[in-house]
Amino acid sequence: MEPVKIGLLGLGTVGSGTVIVLTRNAGEIARRAGRGIEIAHAAAREYKRDAITGIEHIGRIGEDAFAVVDDPEVEIVVELIGGYSPAKELVLRAIANGKHVVTANKALIARHGNEIFAAARARGVMVGFEAAVAGGIPIIKALREGLAANHIEWIAGIINGTGNFILTEMRDKGRDFADVLKEAQARGYAEADPTFDVEGIDAAHKLTILASLAFGIPLQFERCFTEGISRIEAQDVAYAEQLGYRIKHLGIARRCPEGIELRVHPTLIPHRRLIANVDGVMNAVLVKGDAVGPTLYYGAGAGSLPTASSVVADLVDVVRALTTDPNNRVPHLAFQPDELADTPILPMDQVETAYYLRMMARDEPGVMARIASILGEQGISIEAIQQKEPGEGDTHVPLVMLTHRVREGQMNQAIARIEAQGSVQGAVMRIRMENLAG
Ligand code: HSE
């Protein structure tokens, strides 16, 4: 049978990895897909020709991405440019031209996925996006197919490799934030705008996609609560360790009676949990299903070949399904498109979680008791409390507390009251805490 001809948009980190994997594993890929996969046409503005093994097999390389999506020879368009625009226009035009699409673009799917999937459905084409979440980990396939029997209760994931790399290097080697970020950029992990990594936007894109697949809801990126890692201080990392916790930047989606929690923020988790020990650029997603219990998916969350692994897996899936009836294909968001639910996403002040609090309290009698009584009045129960040694001549000492679970709205009120105390200096550091027990 003739090989399937694909068009490739982008020859950057993931694009070059995709060429390498398609070339290196061509024989096995063809045996799996039932047909060979040939890159007929690629578009890229800049690329490192010498670093891309197999580039000589690409039929044609130009600069015009629209020429690729309009190329009649191309059956599947692989979008690896990233960003919202022109990726959205390119993908919609490819779909309008009747071409299937594979993309690694989480920003595009999280923000415009509802529109893209509706267009794809109307045109009877497939859109694969395994590479959009957690790099090389096949988490989309696991949620959409492997866990299809389950009522998914919650998901918690380390889903940004750059952020995890930064936190790990800071903790293990005491390295400087900016220096580690530079290394992540050099290794091709970071987004074009690295604030997407450190402020949690990239993780929020990915969590939005996972929540849709898990709970059968439309993509709602704008409702995801997002807090980054840039406020985390070395002393919090150290205090967390002393208390038996690690700080990880987690994406959490949880089904509650009132709605769905959708949030990305630094989180203390017990250090004995497997996920607490996921370091460097590695990602991990913990999924709790009612039938299967907790399951954990682990692997490289960014990088050229790991992400290409997911892109090529999608290509194999699309090639296998080219001749199937569009109505019998696996639905893009796991649930049949007419069966998506309008379950509300909860505002953050209704989310319930435990907390780590750190504040600088004046070192004099009654201060700790006053803070404890404010928490008590707000219905917040303290699980642990530690006052650290004052430094030579210090008037204030760090006070670290762990609380039981409470609604964020109540905690906000308590923090405002504590910060208004003359005996507390500066802002209270609050880091949410999750047990993640199965
Ligand atoms: N910037 C992303 C990360 C790339 O660091 O996880 C993979 O999506």
Side-chain angles (χ1 to χ4, degrees):
M1 224 175 170
E2 279 285 295
V4 176
K5 294 197 164 54
I6 68 167
L8 187 56
L9 310 181
L11 282 170
T13 304
V14 185
S16 52
T18 300
V19 177
I20 293 168
V21 172
L22 281 173
T23 307
R24 188 204 279 174
N25 300 341
E28 271 179 284
I29 289 167
R31 284 170 58 212
R32 290 192 170 109
R35 291 169 72 178
I37 298 175
E38 195 177 292
I39 308 172
H41 196 167
R45 286 220 202 94
E46 282 173 28
Y47 54 96
K48 295 180 187 136
R49 195 174 177 92
D50 295 344
I52 310 178
T53 317
I55 196 163
E56 66 281 6
H57 298 303
I58 299 179
R60 182 149 57 107
I61 305 178
E63 286 199 3
D64 184 359
F66 284 95
V68 175
V69 301
D70 289 339
D71 186 336
E73 214 189 6
V74 166
E75 271 186 84
I76 307 170
V77 169
V78 183
E79 185 277 304
L80 303 174
I81 295 175
Y84 299 121
S85 185
K88 182 184 174 196
E89 293 76 17
L90 287 162
V91 163
L92 287 175
R93 187 137 130 199
I95 291 170
N97 287 341
K99 299 182 195 307
H100 306 281
V101 172
V102 169
T103 178
N105 192 333
K106 51 266 164 144
L108 179 72
I109 297 296
R111 261 198 196 275
H112 302 297
N114 297 322
E115 182 185 345
I116 289 169
F117 298 143
R121 189 181 175 208
R123 200 67 177 80
V125 295
M126 294 169 267
V127 178
F129 52 100
E130 181 68 70
V133 182
I137 307 174
I139 186 63
I140 307 273
K141 203 168 190 69
L143 275 172
R144 201 155 51 181
E145 299 176 50
L147 298 176
N150 287 264
H151 172 85
I152 305 292
E153 295 170 5
W154 53 264
I155 296 176
I158 295 171
I159 45 181
N160 181 268
T162 303
N164 202 42
F165 181 65
I166 292 172
L167 284 178
T168 307
E169 292 286 305
M170 284 174 73
R171 187 195 71 212
D172 290 353
K173 301 182 189 155
R175 286 179 66 191
D176 177 60
F177 186 97
D179 170 47
V180 190
L181 175 59
K182 252 189 224 148
E183 187 180 337
Q185 287 175 296
R187 290 181 183 218
Y189 301 156
E191 295 304 297
D193 175 354
T195 57
F196 273 43
D197 297 295
V198 293
E199 295 308 333
I201 300 158
D202 177 74
H205 287 143
K206 295 165 179 168
L207 185 70
T208 298
I209 297 171
L210 294 179
S212 285
L213 295 163
F215 307 131
I217 53 171
L219 296 148
Q220 296 165 75
F221 168 68
E222 62 291 347
R223 302 231 162 99
C224 185
F225 172 84
T226 306
E227 186 180 294
I229 54 172
S230 50
R231 281 180 330 118
I232 299 293
E233 293 181 27
Q235 57 177 322
D236 297 309
V237 175
Y239 294 154
E241 290 278 343
Q242 288 164 19
L243 291 160
Y245 292 84
R246 290 262 161 85
I247 300 177
K248 290 289 179 188
H249 201 193
L250 286 193
I252 299 171
R254 179 181 277 123
R255 203 195 294 253
C256 307
E258 307 82 20
I260 289 167
E261 296 178 3
L262 194 61
R263 49 193 171 104
V264 172
H265 50 70
T267 313
L268 263 76
I269 45 182
H271 68 76
R272 60 184 182 279
R273 297 267 177 272
L274 280 175
I275 196 168
N277 295 282
V278 170
D279 288 334
V281 74
M282 303 310 270
N283 278 194
V285 185
L286 188 51
V287 182
K288 171 74 169 30
D290 69 332
V292 70
T295 56
L296 181 66
Y297 308 85
Y298 169 85
S304 179
L305 297 184
T307 313
S309 164
S310 289
V311 170
V312 175
D314 268 349
L315 276 169
V316 170
D317 265 359
V318 172
V319 172
R320 283 171 176 158
L322 279 176
T323 53
T324 56
D325 172 358
N327 292 321
N328 292 333
R329 291 180 184 145
V330 180
H332 291 114
L333 288 178
F335 289 68
Q336 296 299 334
D338 303 329
E339 296 292 336
L340 295 185
D342 58 2
T343 320
I345 305 293
L346 293 176
M348 196 58 193
D349 63 2
Q350 285 183 36
V351 164
E352 199 183 277
T353 182
Y355 293 86
Y356 159 100
L357 303 176
R358 173 179 55 79
M359 62 203 79
M360 292 302 286
R362 196 180 298 141
D363 191 14
E364 64 185 28
V367 170
M368 193 196 281
R370 180 72 198 121
I371 292 165
S373 86
I374 291 175
L375 290 170
E377 284 156 24
Q378 293 294 146
I380 299 168
S381 167
I382 298 168
E383 185 187 296
I385 190 161
Q386 277 189 5
Q387 182 179 315
K388 303 289 169 189
E389 290 285 302
E392 183 82 19
D394 285 349
T395 52
H396 290 74
V397 285
L399 194 60
V400 174
M401 293 179 177
L402 304 183
T403 76
H404 287 283
R405 295 176 73 81
V406 60
R407 284 222 170 162
E408 176 111 351
Q410 268 166 273
M411 180 53 85
N412 290 341
Q413 286 175 16
I415 289 177
R417 286 181 64 191
I418 292 170
E419 286 176 346
Q421 299 286 306
S423 50
V424 171
Q425 194 179 51
V428 173
M429 170 58 119
R430 158 244 308 266
I431 307 179
R432 298 167 189 88
M433 195 166 88
E434 292 286 341
N435 187 278
L436 302 183

